[in-house]
Amino acid sequence: MPTALITGATAGIGAAFARRLAADGFSLVLVARDAARLSASAGELRKRYGVAVEVLPADLSLDEGVTRVEERLRQGVDLLVNNAGFGHPGAFLDVPVDEEVTMLRVHCEAVLRLTLAALPGMRARGRGAVINVASVAAFFTRGTYSASKAWVVNFSESVAAEAGDRDVRVMALCPGFVRTEFHRRAAMDVSGIPGFLWLSADRVVAEAMRDLARGRRVSVPSARYKAIVSVGKLVPRNLVGQVSARIGRR
């Protein structure tokens, strides 16, 4: 059976990927910081889907954590899902610099290193894929979070053009608001977000897998967010920045 390694695999989009890939017959390697939660998730997946599930506790903000996952990737996987990430509610000037640097380590450095660890083996075997979870925020301007996700999109497209081919694919996944614990853990007030803007994690994953099969390098789930991104590209960047900053403060 093919093997998929998923970071941030115990909740939200990562957990949805784990369910979908287990249902598709993948063996799984689940990566997250919380060892107890990893074990519980693995047990549920084994029982429900009858697939092999490894657990790999690792903190991707630390060099030793990234190194552990790199070593596992070099043993060979067929699909890497770089999903681990987090947000914080403060404006750029209000966030401690160590928290900003930690975000860059998880969103950028870990994504780069893990992608680089996985791709050589995939190319040697002539098959494989990497999905780097970014965000619709990548197309707008809102602090370090959107900047780091813009890097993920650019990086994924660049690697896809340089190192990918028909049988080895690299794709950035850019969801909008998804009903997960992401915002609660970041202490973000999202009470003002209209209901029609929310997506389910399972829908995001279903559209991501469809777009990956179609060979797309950037996946934006749902017609509503495709429209938002398209309109955003037509609006002057300074105006986009002003609107994004106001929404962020709210």
Side-chain angles (χ1 to χ4, degrees):
M1 292 188 294
T3 299
L5 186 147
I6 307 164
T7 69
T10 57
I13 294 173
F17 265 111
R19 293 191 298 271
R20 166 61 188 266
L21 295 170
D24 288 347
F26 278 75
S27 297
L28 302 177
V29 182
L30 307 182
V31 179
R33 291 181 299 174
D34 189 329
R37 195 172 184 184
L38 269 177
S39 295
S41 297
E44 293 173 3
L45 291 164
R46 292 188 192 106
K47 181 177 180 180
R48 181 173 180 181
Y49 299 102
V51 297
V53 184
E54 299 176 43
V55 295
L56 181 53
D59 184 343
L60 298 182
S61 70
L62 303 177
D63 183 70
E64 62 182 6
V66 178
T67 298
R68 290 188 66 199
V69 183
E70 285 176 315
E71 291 172 351
R72 177 58 185 85
L73 288 167
R74 292 189 182 108
Q75 296 175 28
V77 301
D78 300 282
L79 174 62
L80 165 63
V81 181
N82 277 315
N83 169 72
F86 66 95
H88 42 61
F92 174 68
L93 294 179
D94 299 327
V95 178
V97 67
D98 60 333
E99 293 184 22
E100 297 283 21
V101 171
T102 296
M103 178 172 285
L104 293 177
R105 286 175 178 161
V106 175
H107 291 183
C108 301
E109 181 183 343
V111 169
L112 183 152
R113 289 175 59 179
L114 299 187
T115 299
L116 186 57
L119 278 178
M122 292 178 180
R123 296 188 73 189
R125 292 187 299 274
R127 68 179 189 278
V130 178
I131 298 175
N132 293 323
V133 179
S135 169
V136 161
F139 305 104
F140 300 92
T141 51
R142 173 57 184 158
T144 305
Y145 182 83
S146 66
S148 67
K149 293 304 185 180
W151 182 90
V152 172
V153 174
N154 191 302
F155 169 73
S156 300
E157 290 186 286
S158 299
V159 175
E162 181 176 334
D165 56 37
R166 184 181 63 183
D167 299 312
V168 179
R169 299 175 179 179
V170 180
M171 184 183 80
L173 171 60
C174 302
F177 289 104
V178 184
R179 294 195 183 280
T180 68
E181 61 185 52
F182 175 90
H183 300 94
R184 176 179 59 78
R185 293 177 66 178
M188 295 179 181
D189 180 8
V190 292
S191 59
I193 304 300
F196 72 90
L197 286 179
W198 290 98
L199 304 174
S200 72
D202 290 330
R203 176 179 177 180
V204 168
V205 169
E207 294 203 27
M209 296 304 293
R210 181 197 65 192
D211 287 344
L212 182 67
R214 292 176 174 176
R216 293 184 177 172
R217 294 179 178 178
V218 178
S219 172
V220 180
S222 88
R224 75 202 71 166
Y225 279 109
K226 287 181 174 66
I228 289 171
V229 170
S230 296
V231 170
K233 292 178 179 179
L234 300 176
V235 177
R237 295 290 290 175
N238 61 340
L239 179 58
V240 171
Q242 292 173 17
V243 173
S244 297
R246 290 177 184 175
I247 293 173
R249 286 195 292 270
R250 292 176 184 175

